[in-house]
Amino acid sequence: MSRPARRALTFPAALVAAGVAVAAWAVVVLHVAGALHSPAVDPLVHTVSDYVLLPGGHLVLAIAAAALALAATVLAGAAARAGASRAPVALLASWAAAMVVAGVVPTNVPGTPPDLSAAVHRYAGAWIFAVLPLAVLLLARGPAVRDAARGRVVALALLTAALSGTFLLAHLPIVVAGSPAFPLLGGVERVLYGAVTALLITTVLALRPSATPEPGR
């Protein structure tokens, strides 16, 4: 019996994967620099945004954010061409916009009082983590996602939603009391980032073929 042919990687899927790869590279650079910093940045305690304390950290964070924003923008366009309704496409576009805001507007350096910039960064981050699972779940309910891939897209979106809820609830002591009550906030965020990037790639691979010709065809 012959094996089923693998689906060719589409141009949007390749762009999303490239955006995720650039963001992953930037985060690895930050972690290496953070480990060499004195004192070292503990990835289990500090969030990725806290790497703003490193020399050039804000620039590297902005590159990661821009890469993920591009990935989400490409996903939104591909979903629209695949027949998605306006709601998930608009949410994906807003996710990309929030990622740009989070990349441009840094949080406060750890150990310093939060200011307006930190507040804007946190609200943008909250939108990022809350909206993507919702957008994908709405997308999976419509005709844009292939039936064979719908189950795994929904499962990963629900897992991401659960992780997002946990991460956002862990921030309540920071907002209310000004100090974190959960000591491993950074570790939870790393797992959540992994789920977010996996969700972006899984979703774009699950889209139905677009009727619009791709570049170069």
Side-chain angles (χ1 to χ4, degrees):
M1 182 181 295
S2 61
R3 294 182 180 179
R6 293 184 179 181
R7 298 180 69 247
L9 188 66
T10 63
F11 185 69
L15 283 180
V16 171
V20 168
V22 170
W25 167 83
V27 171
V28 169
V29 169
L30 289 172
H31 279 73
V32 172
L36 298 175
H37 188 263
S38 182
V41 182
D42 189 345
L44 294 180
V45 175
H46 293 279
T47 65
V48 173
S49 297
D50 288 339
Y51 284 96
V52 71
L53 66 86
L54 300 176
H58 184 201
L59 175 60
V60 180
L61 286 168
I63 291 173
L68 290 177
L70 173 63
T73 302
V74 171
L75 175 58
R81 291 192 297 273
S85 61
R86 292 182 179 179
V89 173
L91 287 175
L92 287 171
S94 73
W95 189 91
M99 185 62 73
V100 171
V101 172
V104 172
V105 183
T107 189
N108 57 296
V109 174
T112 64
D115 52 12
L116 178 60
S117 175
V120 171
H121 181 90
R122 288 176 180 174
Y123 283 119
W127 187 259
I128 288 166
F129 289 124
V131 163
L132 183 61
L134 176 60
V136 173
L137 287 172
L138 291 175
L139 191 63
R141 293 181 58 187
V145 173
R146 293 179 291 107
D147 293 336
R150 199 180 308 275
R152 62 175 174 269
V153 170
V154 170
L156 185 53
L158 290 174
L159 173 61
T160 306
L163 290 170
S164 296
T166 301
F167 182 71
L168 292 175
L169 287 174
H171 272 78
L172 284 179
I174 300 176
V175 176
V176 175
S179 62
F182 185 68
L184 301 178
L185 192 64
V188 174
E189 188 196 44
R190 267 68 171 183
V191 176
L192 177 54
Y193 266 122
V196 165
T197 54
L199 187 57
L200 289 171
I201 294 175
T202 300
T203 303
V204 74
L205 290 174
L207 295 178
R208 296 184 186 277
S210 172
T212 303
E214 295 175 5
R217 293 192 178 185

